[in-house]
């Protein structure tokens, strides 16, 4: 695996190193020793999967409040997504900045999302699937989010949102004084 820092402090793009032969290819998507050598979280007690019927489906922007903040390692296993992260850590050099990445079935890229970040994505293709490792089990009482179109961030989703849950559409504007993020 190749680990490339992004412009947001602590976030990392992980690219597979393919081993190809006549059968196809093989690539490691997680290795505890390689994650440790890169200074990344390596305990993931939960793995999640989402399937999306149509392009333009938006999920996010989610995070968990302290003490249940979480690291995510996100990978698109079918189709393509535009994955977006926002740094909500007040003490970070990239506080309130966002960055987007195209994760596809073909490129095999994964995105390492540090604690204290909001995360979401919009699907670029019909019938897409996303899998992600999570460092902290889901804690309903710690669930939080920011609205996908909050003017505090000005995220460019690059496409029209066609599907979004009522909950994700109604997250509040960002209120840093009320939230205890890492």
């Amino acid at each position: 695996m190749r680990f490339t820092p992004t412009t947001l402090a602590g976030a990392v793009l992980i690219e597979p190193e393919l081993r190809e032969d006549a059968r196809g290819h093989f690539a490691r998507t997680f290795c505890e020793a390689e994650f440790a050598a890169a200074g990344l979280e390596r305990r993931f007690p939960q793995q999640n999967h989402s399937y999306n019927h149509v392009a333009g489906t938006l999920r996010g922007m989610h995070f968990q409040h302290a003490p249940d903040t979480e690291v995510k390692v996100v990978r698109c296993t079918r189709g393509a997504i535009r994955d977006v992260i926002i740094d909500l850590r007040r003490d970070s050099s990239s506080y309130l900045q966002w960055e987007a990445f195209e994760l596809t079935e073909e490129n095999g890229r994964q995105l390492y999302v540090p604690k204290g970040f909001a995360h979401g994505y919009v699907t670029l293709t019909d019938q897409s699937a996303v899998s992600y490792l999570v460092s902290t089990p889901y804690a309903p009482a710690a669930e939080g989010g920011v609205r996908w179109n909050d003017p505090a961030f000005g995220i460019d989703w690059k496409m029209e949102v066609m599907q979004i849950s009522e909950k994700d559409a109604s997250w509040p504007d960002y209120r840093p004084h009320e939230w205890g993020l890492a």
Side-chain angles (χ1 to χ4, degrees):
M1 289 176 279
R2 290 183 303 275
F3 299 89
T4 305
T6 72
T7 62
L8 302 185
V12 177
L13 190 62
I14 303 167
E15 296 181 88
E17 292 179 326
L18 301 180
R19 306 288 188 253
E20 297 186 70
D21 63 25
R23 299 169 293 173
H25 71 259
F26 170 87
R28 219 179 273 152
T29 60
F30 176 77
C31 174
E32 183 177 2
E34 288 184 51
F35 271 55
L40 304 178
E41 176 69 46
R42 51 191 197 272
R43 182 180 175 275
F44 297 98
Q46 184 172 312
Q47 183 172 13
N48 299 331
H49 172 84
S50 66
Y51 173 81
N52 309 280
H53 294 290
V54 298
T57 299
L58 192 138
R59 294 181 184 256
M61 298 295 297
H62 306 138
F63 62 85
Q64 289 211 147
H65 293 279
D68 297 301
T69 54
E70 61 190 5
V71 169
K72 292 180 183 175
V73 179
V74 183
R75 181 167 66 108
C76 182
T77 58
R78 181 176 181 183
I81 64 171
R82 180 171 171 80
D83 202 30
V84 175
I85 54 176
I86 306 169
D87 188 347
L88 298 178
R89 302 168 301 172
R90 285 181 280 226
D91 62 345
S92 171
S93 61
S94 54
Y95 177 56
L96 298 184
Q97 294 175 32
W98 65 272
E99 191 169 3
F101 304 86
E102 190 168 302
L103 306 181
T104 71
E105 175 180 7
E106 289 79 23
N107 70 25
R109 291 177 177 161
Q110 299 179 98
L111 183 60
Y112 181 90
V113 183
K115 292 179 179 183
F117 276 61
H119 169 260
Y121 64 85
V122 65
T123 60
L124 302 175
T125 61
D126 292 344
Q127 302 177 351
S128 63
V130 178
S131 178
Y132 47 104
L133 300 172
V134 184
S135 68
T136 304
Y138 174 66
E143 182 180 50
V146 295
R147 206 175 61 255
W148 65 280
N149 60 355
D150 185 334
F153 309 115
I155 297 169
D156 180 1
W157 290 97
K158 299 275 189 214
M159 69 179 310
E160 184 179 353
V161 173
M162 304 300 290
Q163 295 282 332
I164 187 169
S165 72
E166 184 177 323
K167 180 169 80 172
D168 285 351
S170 62
W171 286 117
D173 284 344
Y174 181 59
R175 297 186 306 262
H177 58 283
E178 295 179 20
W179 298 348
L181 296 175

